[in-house]
Amino acid sequence: MHVTADALQPAIDNWAEQYPDNFSPSALVGQQRATSALHQAMSIAGRYAHGFLVTPAGLRTYDVLQELQQLHRWAYAEKYDWVYLANPNAASEPQCVNLPAGTASDFLAQLWQLLETPVASRQEQLIALRDTYPTERAHGYLDGVAEKNFKDLPGSELATIIVQHDEEQPFVLCDRVTETNLFGSIRLQSVEGTISSELHLIEAGALLKANGGVLAIDAEELLSQPGLWRKLKYILRTSLFHWPQPGEANIAAYYRPEPVPVHIKVLLLGDRDIYAQLRELDRDFDNLFPYLADFSGHYPLSQLPLAPYFDYLAYVQREAAVLPLHRNAYPLLFKFASRLSDYQTELSLDTITLMQLMREASAIAIALGTEEIQDEHVQRVLRQRKYRDGYIADLSRRSILEGQVYIATDGRVVGQVNGLTVVTAGGSEFGEPSRITATVHYGDGDIIDIDRKSELSGNIHTKGVMILSAYIANVFARSEAMSLSATIVFEQSYHEVDGDSASLAELCCLLSALAEAPIEQGLAITGAVDQFGRVQAIGAVNEKIEGYFSLCQARGLTGHQGVIIPAANLSQLNLEPEVIEAVQAGQYHIYAVNHVTEALELLTQSDQKKLYTRIEERLDELQHTERAPNWWRRLLGR
């Protein structure tokens, strides 16, 4: 099928025409699955109701958490201030007391006044304290010191505040996970050679700061620190936080503050690989973290309306702090977002990458003295990026243009075809053609992959060659063995070849050699095949098309050049404007095929049935031809 220019990119102009009158910036556009899971998690209390957030690259976690907490607050959140107070009965075991949020400083001031007041005159103060701070622990401590003075309390300190909520904080994010940052610590001091610890040296970590609310933890950081995961699990199972012994046991005085009761909702943040590893390696994980919030990196237009995506772009624009977007900039933004997602009907939710694009375009607009980001500014950014990233691709193309690497883009040759590959080198990824050749000879039907024999073939490529061998055997050797063998190779390839995206090109090359039918060198081809010859989708289709186009353009477009791709990849086409213009002008062609026979007819400009008949006749001739004996057999008369 000949692909028209209209099918080579998404309907970006039609999308831009749906520009709304008003915007509601949101980081949660397209995340219904994840937000539904978080809503369920936030409506459940208990030790076994925590969640794992799968966060794709480019997601701004803090923004997402902030918006989530505004929509779905933990129904059982109950935050307190926490203080440690001198224990009248044990100097090394201070007591922890919880107080209504934001009241710790006032409580300590009033407690100080209470202890300064004579015991006989404290009754009214005690009643007022109990009424103002109605927690069981506060009442218990007040009962314990109701008849005591400062001299009855051990040590030189009355109290220390470890957690105080001066302003409402919907969640605590711990993205730099260390034992101190997450769990806190008890520091040491040396006084006249004596090492000890006191109340002011107790320091809370993120776990206690979030106690009563929501704690978000970077899972990768957590697992990279030995022992932290087990300690967190123990706290979640027991709902009790025990302080570690400060310093080494042989140099530090015994100091053990009272454990802190923990009532918390924990959200782990990480990619899907970490989630899979935790499920596989830790039998407790599924029990503790039953809620999976799977955030998407793409916005599927086949399932969701376009309008909310404008709200997402408004959020990106707000966070990027750039000039306003002119309406004519939206088509290129949509094209860029679709290219990131690899599908015509999907738009990227990679916030950081889109922010970078907007900031670059805004900088250009400011330099040119305009007040809005327009299409020309976005287009200039895209050209600059292509130029910045294109050095390795230019070197590779120059080696072909100068003849150091032989690639023909015109003429007709038997057993030679241009396959399309993707090269990843030095942080750059680009498409380029690779010459594949095949030869046939009298033999027992084996197909020899020279790359595999020379250990330059990966497992997937080897599988692809075996599949195309199975197709040839299925078509031409059902009833009797083939008398032809063949060799196939990627010419001028000196590194490992992997992937099955060249198996269609290799199969067509072999069939050309078997039928002695020349292949059009102006056409390049990519695709995978199955044992029945069906053409299957491959990756990086846009890069492959554009890589071959750049070579043909450098040599001069003839109107007979183009590429053959799997029809299954049509939904991924999103090509550069210059390629689309060349296709529209008839200077470059793109064909989509479903079966190897379609590709073979395009490459050879011959009828497939006649080609297969020629192959069968050739095999039949060889099958009934008596093979001449070797010279030594003739000499010995055998």
Side-chain angles (χ1 to χ4, degrees):
M1 178 181 71
H2 195 279
V3 182
T4 63
D6 293 339
L8 301 183
Q9 68 176 3
I12 54 177
D13 292 318
N14 292 336
W15 295 347
E17 290 175 0
Q18 301 179 41
Y19 187 88
D21 295 329
N22 299 300
F23 296 98
S24 299
S26 173
L28 297 179
V29 169
Q31 306 295 358
Q32 287 85 346
R33 187 190 304 272
T35 54
S36 173
L38 261 297
H39 175 69
Q40 294 169 358
M42 292 298 184
S43 63
I44 303 295
R47 303 173 183 175
Y48 303 101
H50 306 289
F52 190 101
L53 278 63
V54 174
T55 53
L59 185 78
R60 298 217 336 159
T61 305
Y62 187 85
D63 296 346
V64 167
L65 289 173
Q66 199 166 36
E67 194 168 334
L68 278 170
Q69 287 297 307
Q70 293 172 1
L71 297 174
H72 309 294
R73 289 184 177 271
W74 188 26
Y76 300 91
E78 191 174 10
K79 288 192 174 183
Y80 292 100
D81 288 353
W82 288 90
V83 299
Y84 269 108
L85 300 167
N87 188 343
N89 304 314
S92 59
E93 298 182 12
Q95 294 178 255
C96 70
V97 170
N98 62 319
L99 303 161
T103 65
S105 296
D106 293 338
F107 173 79
L108 294 184
Q110 294 173 42
L111 178 62
W112 186 278
Q113 292 176 359
L114 176 74
L115 293 173
E116 285 184 328
T117 303
V119 173
S121 306
R122 293 180 179 178
Q123 191 60 34
E124 290 185 5
Q125 287 178 282
L126 283 170
I127 293 173
L129 279 169
R130 288 191 178 97
D131 292 342
T132 306
Y133 306 100
T135 67
E136 184 179 348
R137 288 176 175 270
H139 289 179
Y141 188 80
L142 290 172
D143 291 342
V145 297
E147 298 183 356
K148 295 186 182 295
N149 296 311
F150 282 113
K151 61 183 178 62
D152 300 319
L153 300 178
S156 59
E157 296 178 310
L158 172 62
T160 186
I161 299 174
I162 59 169
V163 176
Q164 181 166 323
H165 301 286
D166 295 325
E167 58 183 30
E168 186 176 5
Q169 197 174 8
F171 66 92
V172 173
L173 174 62
C174 187
D175 54 358
R176 184 179 180 272
V177 184
T178 64
E179 184 164 11
T180 299
N181 287 348
L182 182 57
F183 299 117
S185 65
I186 302 177
R187 292 172 292 165
L188 298 174
Q189 65 182 2
S190 178
V191 179
E192 296 181 353
T194 301
I195 298 176
S196 63
S197 189
E198 292 192 15
L199 286 173
H200 74 279
L201 298 175
I202 302 175
E203 184 178 356
L207 182 76
L208 292 183
K209 292 176 181 176
N211 195 8
V214 178
L215 172 63
I217 308 174
D218 186 297
E220 184 176 4
E221 289 276 328
L222 175 68
L223 297 178
S224 67
Q225 306 293 318
L228 298 193
W229 169 245
R230 287 186 175 276
K231 186 172 182 178
L232 177 64
K233 281 201 310 177
Y234 178 79
I235 293 169
L236 296 181
R237 284 200 306 263
T238 61
S239 298
L240 206 60
F241 174 76
H242 293 269
W243 290 93
Q245 183 68 17
E248 299 294 336
N250 60 342
I251 66 169
Y254 177 81
Y255 196 73
R256 188 173 183 179
E258 183 182 5
V260 182
V262 172
H263 174 61
I264 200 170
K265 175 72 68 177
V266 174
L267 303 175
L268 293 181
L269 316 173
D271 60 30
R272 184 165 292 281
D273 288 342
I274 293 176
Y275 176 73
Q277 290 173 23
L278 283 169
R279 290 197 65 183
E280 181 180 354
L281 301 177
D282 194 314
R283 63 182 182 180
D284 298 323
F285 177 76
D286 281 343
N287 292 331
L288 289 169
F289 293 86
Y291 294 100
L292 172 65
D294 200 346
F295 282 85
S296 174
H298 300 151
Y299 186 83
L301 293 176
S302 57
Q303 304 171 24
L304 300 171
L306 176 64
Y309 194 77
F310 282 96
D311 294 333
Y312 170 73
L313 290 179
Y315 149 73
V316 176
Q317 179 185 342
R318 182 191 69 195
E319 295 302 316
V322 296
L323 293 176
L325 289 167
H326 192 277
R327 291 185 62 165
N328 65 18
Y330 278 90
L332 285 179
L333 278 177
F334 286 135
K335 184 176 178 67
F336 179 77
S338 178
R339 179 77 177 240
L340 288 177
S341 72
D342 278 336
Y343 286 93
Q344 288 187 350
T345 57
E346 291 188 1
L347 295 168
S348 175
L349 295 173
D350 188 335
T351 301
I352 294 177
T353 300
L354 290 169
M355 284 176 63
Q356 291 170 338
L357 176 71
M358 288 187 187
R359 283 174 174 166
E360 287 185 57
S362 182
I364 292 173
I366 291 172
L368 295 175
T370 57
E371 297 180 353
E372 292 181 307
I373 299 173
Q374 301 191 14
D375 57 352
E376 60 184 285
H377 306 137
V378 179
Q379 186 62 56
R380 187 167 168 181
V381 170
L382 297 176
R383 286 198 301 267
Q384 289 176 347
R385 287 189 172 191
K386 184 177 180 181
Y387 179 73
R388 288 199 307 266
D389 299 339
Y391 178 66
I392 303 297
D394 287 345
L395 288 180
S396 177
R397 192 178 309 113
R398 190 176 72 182
S399 67
I400 297 175
L401 295 173
E402 293 177 351
Q404 299 171 27
V405 174
Y406 179 72
I407 298 289
T409 54
D410 57 18
R412 307 182 78 209
V413 180
V414 172
Q416 176 175 293
V417 70
N418 290 326
L420 294 173
T421 61
V422 168
V423 177
T424 303
S428 297
E429 185 177 78
F430 57 92
E432 69 173 14
S434 183
R435 182 165 56 104
I436 301 171
T437 61
T439 59
V440 294
H441 53 274
Y442 194 94
D444 54 4
D446 288 339
I447 295 178
I448 300 170
D449 178 9
I450 294 178
D451 290 295
R452 181 174 66 85
K453 290 286 186 180
S454 57
E455 298 184 352
L456 286 175
S457 172
N459 293 333
I460 299 177
H461 177 260
T462 299
K463 177 185 176 183
V465 173
M466 294 174 71
I467 289 173
L468 68 88
S469 301
Y471 171 78
I472 290 178
N474 181 55
V475 174
F476 301 111
R478 282 192 173 186
S479 56
E480 54 186 8
M482 289 176 59
S483 299
L484 275 179
S485 291
T487 58
I488 190 166
V489 67
F490 276 77
E491 300 288 359
Q492 292 184 281
S493 174
Y494 308 107
H495 50 79
E496 183 176 284
V497 176
D498 204 3
D500 62 353
S501 64
S503 57
L504 176 60
E506 291 172 311
L507 178 54
C508 289
C509 191
L510 276 172
L511 293 171
S512 164
L514 287 169
E516 296 181 324
I519 285 176
E520 294 283 348
Q521 299 300 293
L523 291 178
I525 184 170
T526 183
V529 292
D530 65 12
Q531 293 189 94
F532 304 104
R534 287 188 289 260
V535 179
Q536 301 167 142
I538 46 83
V541 65
N542 294 300
E543 288 79 2
K544 291 176 178 178
I545 294 172
E546 290 166 357
Y548 188 63
F549 173 81
S550 296
L551 175 62
C552 294
Q553 186 183 45
R555 285 181 169 173
L557 296 174
T558 63
H560 300 290
Q561 298 151 329
V563 295
I564 300 171
I565 63 171
N569 284 114
L570 285 174
S571 62
Q572 294 177 287
L573 292 180
N574 195 344
L575 298 170
E576 295 283 356
E578 57 185 359
V579 181
I580 297 175
E581 291 171 5
V583 170
Q584 198 163 21
Q587 296 179 313
Y588 193 71
H589 306 277
I590 297 176
Y591 303 95
V593 297
N594 289 296
H595 196 272
V596 62
T597 54
E598 300 173 47
L600 189 63
E601 288 185 344
L602 287 168
L603 289 169
T604 62
Q605 298 294 301
S606 301
D607 181 71
Q608 169 262 328
K609 292 183 179 179
K610 292 181 179 178
L611 293 176
Y612 277 23
T613 300
R614 170 63 186 133
I615 293 173
E616 290 170 352
E617 290 174 351
R618 188 178 181 191
L619 292 174
D620 187 61
E621 290 172 4
L622 290 171
Q623 189 70 24
H624 298 90
T625 299
E626 185 176 350
R627 189 174 182 180
N630 294 329
W631 65 271
W632 59 272
R633 291 182 181 273
R634 292 196 301 269
L635 181 65
L636 296 175
R638 295 181 181 179

